[in-house]
Amino acid sequence: MTNVSPLNFVHKSGKFGDFEGKNEKDLLKVSEINELLIFQIAKYRNSDFDTSKIKIDNLELPSSLQSSSNSKTRILWLGPDNWLVFSSSLDLIQKEKDQFDDKHFAITDISHSRTIIEIEGDLVDEVIKKGCPLDINSLKEGDCANSVYNGITVTLDFISDNPKKVRISGLRSFGESLHHSITDACLEFGYKSV
């Protein structure tokens, strides 16, 4: 079976929008992030299991509206006793599954159900503000949040403050619409699609 990127037919390399006469380092960069293992961890409501004992790829499960990360894996807090794991280590779920007794947890591989778009540059916040109702100015590196972007349910992951880098993930079925919304918001500033 061939893995087809969610944005295979719409994400094209090049420069777009108001890029002429601007230094390339000043342009926003928009890229699709794919070939990641993505799985959700949900602790059952009636479980009294202490999640502070769990480590995934040597990372603790983050607390409210936070993420934890290393060079291969990012864990985002989605809600009480609910986390989303993104990893370039495609066998991570197999390595870590012994920690999760099915009496206490549901582990769901959702790798093929998500589109992930990364935006980098000084004007990332302005792009997000065009479609998202969150107070973006108060969010910083290591924060994450669930919200909407032009009516599409998304998860925002604030990767870095310097350079400013944010990943926006949404359902694969809305991937093309999400891509068009984000790239349309970038046109005013000029962007490079990589």
Side-chain angles (χ1 to χ4, degrees):
M1 185 162 103
T2 304
N3 184 12
V4 178
S5 150
L7 301 178
N8 186 54
F9 300 108
V10 296
H11 187 76
K12 305 299 179 200
S13 297
K15 295 178 185 174
F16 302 93
D18 187 19
F19 68 88
E20 292 183 22
K22 292 183 178 175
N23 190 322
E24 192 165 316
K25 70 176 181 66
D26 295 330
L27 295 177
L28 289 162
K29 291 183 189 85
V30 177
S31 56
E32 178 186 17
I33 306 298
N34 53 24
E35 298 187 26
L36 292 178
L37 169 68
I38 307 169
F39 61 97
Q40 184 171 359
I41 302 167
K43 185 177 105 172
Y44 296 132
R45 190 178 316 165
N46 61 353
S47 172
D48 60 356
F49 190 92
D50 181 6
T51 57
S52 68
K53 298 176 182 178
I54 295 176
K55 286 197 175 194
I56 300 172
D57 200 11
N58 294 317
L59 297 169
E60 293 181 4
L61 297 175
S63 59
S64 181
L65 300 173
Q66 297 294 300
S67 66
S68 56
S69 65
N70 60 30
S71 62
K72 291 185 176 185
T73 303
R74 293 189 67 77
I75 305 172
L76 282 65
W77 181 88
L78 287 183
D81 295 324
N82 199 331
W83 298 269
L84 195 56
V85 180
F86 298 85
S87 184
S88 60
S89 179
L90 301 180
D91 61 347
L92 184 64
I93 199 169
Q94 298 305 318
K95 291 179 186 175
E96 305 288 356
K97 71 179 180 179
D98 291 340
Q99 296 186 74
F100 300 101
D101 183 333
D102 60 6
K103 289 186 285 187
H104 299 285
F105 296 95
I107 308 296
T108 309
D109 185 341
I110 57 173
S111 301
H112 299 291
S113 70
R114 295 292 186 267
T115 299
I116 306 169
I117 300 170
E118 185 173 275
I119 312 170
E120 180 180 335
D122 294 336
L123 297 169
V124 167
D125 288 354
E126 298 307 311
V127 171
I128 295 172
K129 288 176 189 177
K130 287 184 176 187
C132 181
L134 289 178
D135 177 12
I136 299 301
N137 294 331
S138 66
L139 297 169
K140 61 189 179 322
E141 181 176 332
D143 291 342
C144 62
N146 292 316
S147 189
V148 293
Y149 192 87
N150 288 336
I152 301 168
T153 302
V154 296
T155 299
L156 299 165
D157 181 10
F158 293 81
I159 304 286
S160 168
D161 286 337
N162 190 15
K164 186 71 173 180
K165 190 183 295 186
V166 176
R167 285 187 184 165
I168 302 172
S169 61
L171 289 173
R172 182 184 184 109
S173 57
F174 290 100
E176 289 187 18
S177 296
L178 180 60
H179 182 269
H180 288 303
S181 290
I182 290 170
T183 54
D184 184 62
C186 291
L187 288 172
E188 173 186 355
F189 312 114
Y191 73 96
K192 181 178 180 180
S193 183
V194 293

